[in-house]
Amino acid sequence: MTSRNGITEEYHTDSSSDFTEYWIDLFLGIKGHEYFCDIDEDYIRDKFNLTGLNQEVSKLSVLIDILTDIIDIESQPEDQRDALEHNARVLYGLIHARYILTSRGLNKMFEKYRNGDFGYCPRVHCQLHPLLPIGLNDQPRLASVKLYCAKCEDLYNPKSGRHAIIDGAYFGTSFPAMFFQNFPQAIPVHDRKIYTPRVFGFKLHDYSQLSRWRELQRNKLEKSLVQKGIDIYNKPGGFVIDEKEEIKN
Amino acid sequence: MSSGGEEGDYVPWIQQFCDLFGHDYFVPVAQEFIEDDFNLTGLSSQVPYYREALYTILDYQVDTIEDVTNGTSNSDKQDLPTKSLLSHSAELLYGLIHARYIISKPGLTAMASKFERNDFGCCPRYYCDGMHLIPCGSTDVPGQETVRLYCPCCNDIYLPSSSRYLNIDGSFFGTTFPGLLIKMFPEIENQCRIRINKVNQNELGLKLFGFRINESSISGPRMKWLRMHPKSIEQRHEFENCELSIPSEDEMDDEDDEDEDDDKTMASED
């Protein structure tokens, strides 16, 4: 495993003499990896946090050493480097999905959420509400990452193709739910506006009927919540009540 | 401004306009449509230097202040637009004619083939499965809002994904266009129906370690209604009752009293 030939050793010492780059920093610097946050080394080294991951990637201990910069990937046999680098990225992603559910990870992701690193909701009525990454599966290689908007509670595809190829399992299915359990102050007030297509100012009948039915569903929900004694008007998790809007409808 | 170029590489103004960066949502308006005065009714009051702008679009020679700086008297000059004013007016006029053209038959057909080619992009919503979008405006008055994109599948409007469309006026497409397009080409609604039927509504909503969050929690699902479609028999019945107006609270209460047990089972299913 650690056998190295003279050329790589020379190359290795040459490149590291000027400055040392951490693997995680390099990983985070790759274009398209803007959704990831950095994971503490302690978290990666704690074997308990990696339970079960040896089923997803081979040579787990070597990969951990690569992630934590104990061994340099250049010191590995040349024919294995690509596979190791690939597996190291997969491992980082899978650890990332677990790390962002811890309180430290959540705080780091909150910072990124506030900066809009995950983009903003393209829906007009959401008024550029920041998004959160979410996976559709917790197993890797099934579906790419999607973005969750808390205002319309819907899923969107990432705008850029670079983000659209990232595995959703690196964020996991639980992340947004955990996020809002931890930061209830980040829960938005939902908007009640519905768009209905109009022709020469007149609403199209079948669409308008659907809008009315949806409004009925919302009224039922509001009623049941109020009956449970939950204040939902202009409160986080509730609905925006605008008097002007009421009159228009 | 356009007729001054050499005859060899002469490009009509309309073509030039449609080829500009970020103008790929526009279709070229047919010359005959612009030449018919009836189609332009009322536009003269909305566009400054209307006649000059119209001539520019139709590639007639138009004098601007810059063209006549030497030789002519001052009184002539005062009525003339500057080049930048004129090009702005021409763009505004073209946009307003465009909004009218795309709801005429040839315009609708031209836009439908652009829609088919996915020139306006796909719906960003995951469950719409790449449904093609339709450009629209939220108002018919120019200078108010930029162009929006309507998805017939989720029945909602979105911002264009690229910033190059952020300076395009929504009124150049108008509020009527998307509704007319989906009614003229029923194939679009069929495409939507297939997509809607594929989605299992009960699967929506956030989960924490596989468990759904209760509706009473403030982080619970509160927006399901926005994307719901009537699926069950009760829901279809309700939907029919919404034909003309939303059934009032009293009617709903009556129904609640009649079959309270049914209601409870429904609530737990949700």
Side-chain angles (χ1 to χ4, degrees):
Chain A
M1 190 82 67
T2 47
S3 71
R4 18 172 116 167
N5 56 39
I7 303 162
T8 43
E9 199 169 21
E10 220 175 71
Y11 178 66
H12 168 79
T13 43
D14 257 31
S15 64
S16 59
S17 58
D18 292 320
F19 59 93
T20 44
E21 282 260 42
Y22 298 112
W23 187 92
I24 292 178
D25 288 344
L26 281 171
F27 175 82
L28 295 175
I30 295 171
K31 271 196 170 174
H33 286 188
E34 292 83 359
Y35 291 174
F36 291 99
C37 71
D38 67 302
I39 308 174
D40 299 325
E41 263 186 47
D42 305 346
Y43 190 85
I44 299 176
R45 288 228 188 84
D46 188 341
K47 282 272 159 59
F48 176 76
N49 295 327
L50 312 181
T51 310
L53 289 185
N54 52 359
Q55 287 172 358
E56 300 293 345
V57 286
S58 53
K59 294 186 190 164
L60 186 66
S61 52
V62 180
L63 294 176
I64 295 167
D65 288 348
I66 291 173
L67 295 191
T68 51
D69 298 297
I70 289 172
I71 54 170
D72 195 315
I73 199 152
E74 301 286 349
S75 67
Q76 296 297 308
E78 212 169 337
D79 53 329
Q80 290 180 18
R81 277 184 212 159
D82 282 354
L84 279 175
E85 176 67 19
H86 173 76
N87 278 340
R89 290 183 185 188
V90 172
L91 180 66
Y92 189 87
L94 294 173
I95 300 174
H96 187 264
R98 298 179 176 192
Y99 178 71
I100 57 175
L101 300 180
T102 65
S103 76
R104 291 185 69 123
L106 279 166
N107 281 318
K108 282 182 185 168
M109 290 302 259
F110 185 74
E111 217 38 53
K112 289 176 79 69
Y113 169 81
R114 257 211 328 225
N115 291 337
D117 285 357
F118 313 116
Y120 299 94
C121 185
R123 187 172 169 262
V124 170
H125 291 317
C126 285
Q127 291 164 325
L128 299 177
H129 195 77
L131 296 164
L132 280 177
I134 185 172
L136 299 176
N137 301 92
D138 286 313
Q139 287 84 42
R141 292 178 279 270
L142 285 176
S144 64
V145 67
K146 303 285 174 271
L147 298 166
Y148 174 79
C149 170
K151 200 151 181 175
C152 55
E153 295 179 355
D154 215 335
L155 298 182
Y156 295 94
N157 294 315
K159 218 152 98 169
S160 145
R162 278 202 289 268
H163 295 139
I165 53 167
I166 293 176
D167 200 317
Y170 300 167
F171 300 91
T173 54
S174 300
F175 170 62
M178 192 60 144
F179 185 89
F180 290 110
Q181 291 291 317
N182 266 266
F183 306 108
Q185 74 274 19
I187 297 170
V189 187
H190 303 293
D191 208 301
R192 305 207 291 178
K193 287 193 199 93
I194 304 179
Y195 178 82
T196 311
R198 287 163 189 263
V199 169
F200 304 118
F202 298 104
K203 288 179 178 172
L204 289 179
H205 178 69
D206 39 357
Y207 288 89
S208 145
Q209 187 175 358
L210 183 62
S211 298
R212 276 194 291 272
W213 180 74
R214 285 174 173 173
E215 225 168 291
L216 178 69
Q217 303 306 309
R218 191 191 61 215
N219 290 345
K220 279 196 203 164
L221 170 70
E222 285 179 18
K223 211 175 137 187
S224 79
L225 290 174
V226 169
Q227 271 171 2
K228 286 178 197 160
I230 301 166
D231 185 7
I232 52 162
Y233 297 112
N234 293 324
K235 288 272 155 46
F239 299 98
V240 178
I241 305 299
D242 184 14
E243 274 172 34
K244 269 186 235 156
E245 180 200 323
E246 293 286 272
I247 295 161
K248 238 193 269 175
N249 285 337
Chain B
M1 74 186 211
S2 53
S3 48
E6 282 175 45
E7 287 295 311
D9 50 3
Y10 162 75
V11 182
W13 186 92
I14 294 176
Q15 198 54 52
Q16 277 181 36
F17 179 82
C18 293
D19 289 344
L20 281 178
F21 179 75
H23 283 199
D24 29 356
Y25 287 174
F26 290 96
V27 288
V29 177
Q31 191 97 5
E32 306 90 75
F33 187 87
I34 304 175
E35 279 163 356
D36 187 344
D37 267 347
F38 176 74
N39 292 328
L40 311 180
T41 310
L43 292 185
S44 57
S45 59
Q46 287 190 56
V47 181
Y49 299 111
Y50 169 75
R51 199 130 291 276
E52 286 85 349
L54 184 61
Y55 287 162
T56 306
I57 292 172
L58 295 173
D59 294 307
Y60 298 143
Q61 179 75 46
V62 180
D63 286 338
T64 56
I65 285 192
E66 286 89 341
D67 290 333
V68 290
T69 32
N70 35 8
T72 42
S73 68
N74 267 340
S75 59
D76 281 355
K77 255 161 79 174
Q78 271 165 7
D79 299 335
L80 290 173
T82 64
K83 261 188 180 153
S84 62
L85 262 180
L86 180 64
S87 71
H88 179 78
S89 285
E91 283 181 18
L92 175 64
L93 179 62
Y94 184 78
L96 294 173
I97 297 174
H98 186 265
R100 294 178 177 195
Y101 178 68
I102 58 173
I103 53 175
S104 72
K105 202 158 188 200
L108 271 171
T109 320
M111 287 297 267
S113 56
K114 273 178 93 72
F115 170 81
E116 208 56 48
R117 283 202 307 268
N118 200 16
D119 282 0
F120 310 120
C122 294
C123 182
R125 185 172 170 261
Y126 168 66
Y127 291 108
C128 285
D129 193 19
M131 185 70 205
H132 296 184
L133 293 164
I134 306 170
C136 73
S138 48
T139 165
D140 286 313
V141 183
Q144 306 243 324
E145 299 241 32
T146 61
V147 66
R148 308 270 187 261
L149 296 166
Y150 171 71
C151 172
C153 187
C154 54
N155 205 18
D156 218 327
I157 44 173
Y158 296 95
L159 296 166
S161 64
S162 165
S163 58
R164 75 175 79 162
Y165 305 115
L166 286 184
N167 57 351
I168 295 186
D169 202 310
S171 65
F172 295 175
F173 296 90
T175 55
T176 299
F177 172 64
L180 210 53
L181 190 77
I182 49 179
K183 286 297 163 199
M184 287 297 287
F185 298 92
E187 174 53 28
I188 299 175
E189 286 186 322
N190 284 339
Q191 287 176 14
C192 296
R193 220 163 290 135
I194 294 167
R195 287 177 161 84
I196 290 163
N197 289 333
K198 258 197 260 171
V199 180
N200 180 3
Q201 292 185 100
N202 295 329
E203 281 298 303
L204 310 182
L206 284 187
K207 283 182 188 160
L208 186 52
F209 303 124
F211 295 101
R212 231 164 278 157
I213 295 173
N214 193 285
E215 224 165 52
S216 322
S217 157
I218 60 162
S219 61
R222 299 277 167 90
M223 292 297 279
K224 277 188 165 179
W225 53 271
L226 183 68
R227 309 299 195 193
M228 256 167 125
H229 289 273
K231 291 255 164 104
S232 69
I233 299 160
E234 292 96 338
Q235 285 175 337
R236 279 180 196 285
H237 178 69
E238 251 178 8
F239 180 68
E240 276 158 32
N241 286 341
C242 291
E243 165 119 45
L244 297 170
S245 63
I246 301 170
S248 71
E249 295 271 314
D250 300 338
E251 287 171 52
M252 272 171 61
D253 282 347
D254 287 348
E255 275 177 34
D256 281 359
D257 294 340
E258 276 167 32
D259 40 29
E260 208 166 310
D261 296 330
D262 274 312
D263 231 59
K264 267 181 191 157
T265 50
M266 258 181 69
S268 58
E269 265 169 28
D270 285 345

